[in-house]
Amino acid sequence: MLQRVLAEVSLEGPEVVTEAANKTVKAFDELYHQAFTWNASGGDAHDDGRPIGFGGDYTRDIRVALDRYLKEARKALATSADG
């Protein structure tokens, strides 16, 4: 489903929105890969449940990518009535 939506963004939107959407998907993919690797290696966790082996703020790249995507999408969808 995500690939279908990404294809729609690529077809309908300007290139800058497509690039931001692709970076967002890549950030999610990278976190998924880290989580899969962590789980496959035995999935050790700290006492508070944080996974051992993940960097401190492991969702930062996703938040940054989503913020940029939303900013670019809003710009692309803006009209003079939004002003």
Side-chain angles (χ1 to χ4, degrees), residues 5-83:
V5 172
L6 189 58
E8 289 176 20
V9 168
S10 295
L11 181 64
E12 297 287 333
E15 187 67 26
V16 68
V17 176
T18 299
E19 289 172 6
N22 283 323
K23 286 181 182 180
T24 302
V25 170
K26 183 179 178 189
F28 274 105
D29 285 346
E30 288 175 4
L31 180 59
Y32 173 80
H33 177 71
Q34 287 177 355
F36 181 82
T37 302
W38 172 78
N39 190 51
S41 70
D44 259 350
H46 295 281
D47 290 341
D48 63 2
R50 290 178 299 117
I52 294 173
F54 277 63
D57 185 3
Y58 49 88
T59 59
R60 179 186 181 283
D61 290 344
I62 291 173
R63 289 192 316 274
V64 168
L66 278 172
D67 286 346
R68 178 158 185 260
Y69 169 70
L70 291 173
K71 176 183 166 192
E72 295 300 341
R74 284 183 184 124
K75 277 198 286 186
L77 294 171
T79 67
S80 59
D82 296 328

